[in-house]
């Protein structure tokens, strides 16, 4: 994981699943490797509350997650079994316990039509009561513009994170945040997020996400909000459930003027770009992996390849991929939006 994050070009990553004792032990064993690679690991976990809303929790230390584990244990059956345990408490009750321990909490993938803040509630207050949130995680199907006109979010920093639970380079770091930090430590990162010191967000085009548009969860046929409402959220083709797209949900909630947000850089993971250029069905094909390795051994890390290495230098390794990256940087990307649980697709023009 640490090596993969370094190859991606990240300086820090969230551990995920830190409420799980086995996972905490694994990170304790990996800490010397993290130090060696100068990689900061921020203890983090996702959990589900009694209303099936998912929350992301960040702490300065894994030991504090042990304390939180003990506090939440009476309210959850699967704390030692699941990476994303279910806690029989409301969001506000959980948030209060996290804050008491000095941690940060916010809704995970806030706009998705399953297990999210805005899937179950119409406002932050309705979900968390008087307890404040420290950030909001946008999820893959949204970027900052989706939340920019929602008045209750005006002061809340937006996090773009991958929700990757493994080292696959197509997933790990597909979204990331650039923060202004006083010091590069977990404490410095938490302080920066709490102080809304986000310099830039980066991630997929929201259309690539699998819940971007309103669509049937069985056949993925897309519908307008009006059509879906008229059909009672049942697909006439196969009786599948129609799930509200993130675009439509965000629009419903957008009642204010757009609030200024840090710039959002849209990216496509390099393995996906190479897969597209080589017309392969999967980014795990051998020639895709080989070319990916050549780019990394030439230029060090993937984020540099995608964002800063001059196109003529990239062309020395592979011309077609260099042209595609140039298109990405110039915004010459056509998108066919995802929805209902199916990812969107892209092509370069
Ligand atoms: Zn259908």
């Amino acid at each position: 994981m640490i090596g993969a994050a370094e190859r991606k070009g990240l300086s820090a990553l969230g551990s995920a699943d830190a409420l799980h004792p086995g996972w905490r032990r694994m990170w304790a064993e990996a800490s010397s490797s993290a130090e060696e690679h100068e990689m900061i690991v921020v203890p983090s976990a996702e959990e589900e509350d009694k209303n099936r809303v998912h929350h992301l929790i960040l702490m300065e230390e894994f030991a504090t997650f042990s304390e939180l584990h003990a506090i939440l244990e009476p309210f959850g059956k699967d704390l030692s079994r699941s990476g994303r345990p279910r806690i029989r408490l409301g969001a506000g009750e959980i948030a209060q316990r996290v804050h008491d321990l000095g941690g940060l909490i916010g809704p995970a993938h806030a706009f998705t039509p399953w297990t999210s803040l805005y899937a179950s509630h119409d406002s932050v207050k309705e979900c968390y009561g008087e307890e404040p949130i420290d950030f909001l995680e946008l999820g893959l199907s949204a970027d900052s513009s989706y939340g920019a006109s929602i008045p209750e979010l005006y002061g809340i920093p937006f996090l773009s994170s991958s929700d990757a639970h493994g080292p696959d380079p197509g997933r790990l770091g597909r979204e990331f945040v650039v923060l202004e930090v006083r010091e590069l430590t977990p404490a410095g990162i938490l302080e920066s997020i709490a102080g809304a010191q986000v310099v830039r967000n980066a991630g997929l085009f929201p259309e690539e996400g699998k819940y971007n548009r309103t669509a049937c969860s069985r056949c993925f046929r897309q519908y307008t909000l009006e059509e879906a409402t008229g059909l009672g959220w049942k697909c006439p083709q196969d009786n599948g459930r129609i799930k509200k797209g993130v675009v439509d949900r965000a629009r419903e909630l957008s009642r204010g003027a757009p609030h200024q947000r840090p710039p959002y850089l849209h990216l496509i993971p390099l393995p996906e770009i190479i897969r597209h250029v080589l017309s392969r069905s999967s980014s795990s094909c051998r020639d895709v992996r080989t070319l990916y390795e050549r780019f990394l051994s030439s230029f060090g890390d993937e984020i540099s390849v995608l964002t800063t290495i001059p196109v003529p230098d990239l062309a020395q390794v592979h011309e077609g991929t260099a042209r595609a990256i140039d298109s990405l940087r110039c915004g010459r990307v056509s998108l066919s939006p995802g929805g209902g649980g199916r990812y969107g697709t892209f092509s370069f023009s």
Side-chain angles (χ1 to χ4, degrees), residues 216 218-220 235 237-238 240:
C216 171
R218 203 171 282 168
C219 71
F220 309 115
C235 174
Q237 304 214 120
D238 55 13

Side-chain angles (χ1 to χ4, degrees), residues 53-304:
V53 176
H54 288 189
H55 309 276
L56 179 62
I57 300 169
L58 306 174
M59 295 283 188
E60 290 180 21
E61 293 176 28
F62 284 100
T64 324
F65 266 111
S66 301
E67 286 180 58
L68 184 64
H69 184 134
I71 291 167
L72 296 179
E73 192 137 49
F75 307 100
K77 274 187 274 190
D78 53 358
L79 269 164
S80 299
R81 276 179 285 138
S82 166
R84 191 181 51 219
R86 183 146 187 222
I87 314 290
R88 293 186 312 275
L89 288 172
E93 295 169 306
I94 294 169
Q96 191 188 8
R97 286 161 173 81
V98 170
H99 288 143
D100 285 348
L101 293 171
L104 304 184
I105 185 168
H109 44 77
F111 299 102
T112 53
W114 307 94
T115 59
S116 82
L117 162 63
Y118 290 125
S120 304
H121 303 280
D122 285 323
S123 71
V124 172
K125 202 166 181 179
E126 190 186 302
C127 182
Y128 291 87
E130 295 305 319
E131 202 63 26
I133 56 170
D134 304 293
F135 57 82
L136 175 139
E137 187 192 59
L138 291 165
L140 301 179
S141 296
D143 65 15
S144 316
S145 69
Y146 286 50
S149 302
I150 301 174
E152 66 172 353
L153 302 181
Y154 282 171
I156 309 288
F158 290 162
L159 297 186
S160 38
S161 42
S162 287
D163 207 354
H165 291 249
D168 173 1
R171 290 174 180 264
L172 180 69
R174 61 187 163 178
E175 312 243 320
F176 60 89
V177 186
V178 179
L179 296 167
E180 174 89 44
V181 293
R182 185 174 53 80
E183 54 173 32
L184 192 51
T185 61
I189 289 170
L190 262 65
E191 180 189 291
S192 167
I193 293 170
Q197 301 290 306
V198 177
V199 176
R200 189 168 69 174
N201 294 89
L204 303 181
F205 292 90
E207 291 87 348
E208 285 184 87
K210 55 185 175 180
Y211 296 111
N212 188 260
R213 297 299 160 92
T214 295
C216 171
S217 56
R218 203 171 282 168
C219 71
F220 309 115
R221 188 174 157 185
Q222 298 187 357
Y223 297 93
T224 65
L225 195 53
E226 294 69 31
E227 285 167 344
T229 312
L231 293 165
W233 299 91
K234 276 258 182 271
C235 174
Q237 304 214 120
D238 55 13
N239 239 5
R241 271 180 82 184
I242 301 174
K243 299 305 287 182
K244 192 182 286 181
V246 165
V247 162
D248 289 324
R249 186 61 181 130
R251 206 173 284 148
E252 284 177 337
L253 297 159
S254 295
R255 300 181 186 117
H259 187 76
Q260 184 76 30
R261 287 281 169 184
Y264 201 105
L265 181 66
H266 293 113
L267 293 175
I268 298 171
L270 182 58
E272 282 299 306
I273 294 176
I274 296 173
R275 179 194 62 74
H276 182 83
V277 170
L278 300 182
S279 306
R280 293 293 178 268
S281 57
S282 157
S283 56
S284 56
C285 287
R286 194 162 60 170
D287 48 358
V288 176
R289 290 209 314 257
T290 305
L291 188 48
Y292 180 80
E293 289 305 326
R294 281 179 55 210
F295 273 105
L296 258 67
S297 59
S298 303
F299 305 110
D301 71 78
E302 182 184 329
I303 292 170
S304 300

